[in-house]
Amino acid sequence: MITKTQKILGPALTPLGKAYGTVMGVRSRMYGRGTFSRFDPECPCVSVGNIGSGGSGKTPLAGWLLDWALSQGLAPALLSRGYGASPGKLPYLVKPESPVQEAGDEPLMLAIEHPGAKVVVDPVRIRSASWLSRYYSPGLFILDDGFQHLAMRRDLDLVLLTPEDVGEGWNRVIPCGTWRESVKALHRADVFLIKGPAHEFDDMGDALVRRLERFGKPVFQFALKPASLRRLAGRETRPSLAGPYLLVSGVGDPVQLERTVNSFMGRPAVDHVVFKDHHAFGGDDVSVIRKAAKSAGAKEIVCTPKDAVKLKGLGTDDFWTFNIDLEFERSLFFDGTDPVPFDRWWNLERINLDNRK
């Protein structure tokens, strides 16, 4: 999300953003020309990444792809750089019982929710891919946050955009915005996906055409839909909660999360305690949360699945978190293709070995 400071200092920061974008563009061209070598995995590889930073839904979409691959018998493996992780050795195979301090919050969440897949943390993803190929013979690599990771060849680049990316954040490269590369980088994308409700996607129609038609790639909408609630400890689940509740989050886009939760619960939280993305929760944080709940009159405390893996074990057995589904509804094609949602468009042919780049 673009900060107030970035908006105020935009004219002064724009030259720096252009310079950074130029450097990243040169890097991309050098990989494209073969100046820098690239690792070519033996199995198909799909990158799930973005042009900006945070809040675009990469992790839920990667999880959906893992489930799809498992349903196809592909033995998928997810390669994560492990933001915030401190593993004792590398590569680090994440297991459902792994300590969150070693695995990182998102890799651990994926390992818990998709136990049939291999989730590996290593900032050098060429190394983790080679290690997995040697010992586990995966059928599909999911390259998490991989759009800028050009050292590894991929079959498809799925690029996630936020509504802000298509709006006032368009082509605002750091430090004047959140983009990691300039707009020219989007020519490398094979598919665009935008997280948000179907009606917001419809409202963005003109902007989507204006911004993305030039690339000629399909654009899909998806939304994160809470399906039910579950206790952090035990197996208790509920379709919803009747009383006042407090929301806790440490995610990239807390505003969008709040809208999603409010819609699911049918009413707003009495308070929303916001921590920075990937916050490492501790006992003091739990005390702050409980104090906020008491002050607001909340009977229940609800957190995100990503935060749940860090809060669990800190005396939070009574907290609730969500079971999340992905819902695909809208799409936009620029080649005359009839609109179909992503989950109907996506199939084995998209990752055929004969279609490698």
Side-chain angles (χ1 to χ4, degrees):
M1 183 178 297
I2 298 174
T3 66
K4 184 178 180 180
T5 300
Q6 287 173 318
K7 292 178 181 178
I8 294 173
L9 299 179
L13 296 176
T14 295
L16 295 175
K18 288 183 177 179
Y20 184 82
T22 298
V23 171
M24 293 297 286
V26 170
R27 171 178 175 267
S28 176
R29 288 193 294 274
M30 293 182 77
Y31 271 109
R33 293 170 182 168
T35 305
F36 297 149
S37 62
R38 306 178 77 185
F39 175 74
D40 193 1
E42 295 180 1
C43 67
C45 177
V46 176
S47 166
V48 180
N50 53 14
I51 192 73
S53 58
S56 61
K58 294 189 306 295
T59 301
L61 183 63
W64 184 90
L65 289 169
L66 289 175
D67 277 343
W68 171 83
L70 287 167
S71 73
Q72 302 297 318
L74 288 178
L78 181 130
L79 307 176
S80 171
R81 63 189 174 95
Y83 182 88
S86 298
K89 62 178 181 178
L90 295 169
Y92 181 85
L93 179 63
V94 182
K95 300 179 180 179
E97 64 272 16
S98 294
V100 66
Q101 296 82 3
E102 294 182 4
D105 51 12
E106 290 173 344
L108 180 57
M109 182 183 71
L110 289 169
I112 291 172
E113 294 180 351
H114 313 280
K118 302 296 183 187
V119 177
V120 177
V121 164
D122 193 335
V124 183
R125 281 173 279 189
I126 291 176
R127 178 171 58 197
S128 58
S130 299
W131 179 78
L132 278 161
S133 296
R134 186 163 59 249
Y135 293 106
Y136 293 101
S137 301
L140 176 69
F141 281 128
I142 304 297
L143 186 58
D144 180 50
D145 196 15
F147 189 48
Q148 288 76 36
H149 189 72
L150 302 179
M152 186 164 173
R153 191 177 297 276
R154 69 291 308 276
D155 298 273
L156 282 173
D157 264 305
L158 309 185
V159 177
L160 281 67
L161 301 170
T162 66
E164 183 180 64
D165 287 331
V166 184
E168 65 175 348
W170 182 257
N171 202 27
R172 293 186 61 142
V173 182
I174 52 176
C176 67
T178 65
W179 281 33
R180 303 171 182 178
E181 301 180 80
S182 74
V183 67
K184 293 180 180 179
L186 294 181
H187 286 285
R188 301 198 313 266
D190 295 294
V191 174
F192 296 112
L193 294 110
I194 298 178
K195 185 184 74 172
H199 67 86
E200 288 187 4
F201 187 86
D202 294 339
D203 292 341
M204 295 167 58
D206 291 342
L208 293 175
V209 172
R210 185 171 67 254
R211 302 296 199 192
L212 301 178
E213 185 177 22
R214 72 188 80 170
F215 304 106
K217 305 298 171 58
V219 185
F220 296 97
Q221 168 268 341
F222 73 102
L224 307 184
K225 295 290 186 179
S228 60
L229 291 141
R230 69 175 187 273
R231 290 279 193 190
L232 264 62
R235 298 183 177 181
E236 183 182 1
T237 62
R238 292 186 188 177
S240 187
L241 298 174
Y245 68 97
L246 177 90
L247 179 62
V248 178
S249 70
V251 298
D253 192 345
V255 175
Q256 188 178 63
L257 169 72
E258 188 171 316
R259 290 199 298 265
T260 300
V261 174
N262 290 351
S263 176
F264 170 72
M265 300 290 281
R267 63 197 186 285
V270 293
D271 195 6
H272 183 183
V273 182
V274 178
F275 295 86
K276 66 178 183 180
D277 194 16
H278 297 287
H279 180 71
F281 287 94
D284 290 343
D285 297 315
V286 175
S287 297
V288 169
I289 293 167
R290 290 199 180 279
K291 184 176 180 180
K294 183 177 180 180
S295 177
K299 301 298 183 183
E300 307 285 2
I301 299 173
V302 179
C303 66
T304 72
K306 185 172 80 170
D307 298 318
V309 299
K310 292 173 289 188
L311 285 165
K312 192 173 182 178
L314 296 176
T316 58
D317 288 357
D318 58 321
F319 284 23
W320 296 90
T321 191
F322 297 100
N323 295 310
I324 302 290
D325 289 337
L326 263 66
E327 185 175 86
F328 305 95
E329 293 185 80
R330 299 287 195 269
S331 64
L332 181 62
F333 291 81
F334 301 108
D335 61 358
T337 300
D338 291 334
V340 292
F342 179 77
D343 56 345
R344 288 176 52 194
W345 177 86
W346 184 257
N347 55 46
L348 283 171
E349 293 180 2
R350 307 297 174 192
I351 58 168
N352 193 306
L353 283 169
D354 295 333
N355 295 333
R356 299 178 71 85
K357 296 179 182 178

